[in-house]
């Protein structure tokens, strides 16, 4: 099970980025996928997760209305569209796969490497 996160970069406040989490070695639709972020000196926090079927996604309060998670199972990829970015969104973003996704619990069984998002004010 391998996950490859990409799409990070430097953007001005109010801008947008789309992160991708590409899977290899397994069919992505058999797993729930989550996105996490970790800023320097802070604990890793869950941002969003989506069920294997793609019918339901959950979001942290801090990103609701600004971030949208979607999946393209044909491409074995999950996308995190991030709009109206704020400086406090600056962090390393990680994707993870697992067996459950709910408002209280995000998948954490398999991890990809991080991709850095930096939002300038």
């Amino acid at each position: 099970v391998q996950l490859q996160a990409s799409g990070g970069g430097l953007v001005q406040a109010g801008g947008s980025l789309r992160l991708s989490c590409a899977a290899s070695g397994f069919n992505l639709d058999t797993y729930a996928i989550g996105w996490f972020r970790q800023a320097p000196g802070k604990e890793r926090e869950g941002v969003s997760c989506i069920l294997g079927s793609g019918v339901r996604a959950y979001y942290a309060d801090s990103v609701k209305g600004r971030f949208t998670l979607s999946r393209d199972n044909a491409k074995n990829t999950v996308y995190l569209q991030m709009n109206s970015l704020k400086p406090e969104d600056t962090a390393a973003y990680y994707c993870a796969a697992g067996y459950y996704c709910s408002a209280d619990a995000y998948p954490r069984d398999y991890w990809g490497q991080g991709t850095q998002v930096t939002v300038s004010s």
Side-chain angles (χ1 to χ4, degrees):
V1 174
Q2 289 190 328
L3 297 169
Q4 179 78 31
S6 62
L10 174 64
V11 64
Q12 288 187 334
S16 299
L17 283 173
R18 188 178 77 161
L19 305 184
S20 299
C21 178
S24 60
F26 68 101
N27 289 330
L28 200 61
D29 58 2
T30 61
Y31 290 89
I33 300 295
W35 281 95
F36 298 77
R37 66 186 182 186
Q38 188 167 19
K42 295 188 177 180
E43 293 187 355
R44 189 172 296 188
E45 63 172 348
V47 174
S48 179
C49 68
I50 189 167
L51 298 174
S53 63
V55 297
R56 185 72 184 268
Y58 297 88
Y59 300 91
D61 288 342
S62 58
V63 306
K64 278 180 183 175
R66 301 187 298 121
F67 290 12
T68 303
L69 198 55
S70 62
R71 60 193 306 155
D72 185 339
N73 289 334
K75 295 184 177 179
N76 232 21
T77 301
V78 169
Y79 303 100
L80 181 67
Q81 179 67 42
M82 306 186 297
N83 298 328
S84 302
L85 283 163
K86 305 175 181 180
E88 50 263 44
D89 294 318
T90 295
Y93 283 71
Y94 301 84
C95 61
Y99 304 100
Y100 51 83
C101 162
S102 70
D104 301 318
Y106 287 9
R108 297 170 181 266
D109 297 272
Y110 307 101
W111 290 86
Q113 90 296 349
T115 184
Q116 179 67 35
V117 172
T118 303
V119 184
S120 63
S121 57

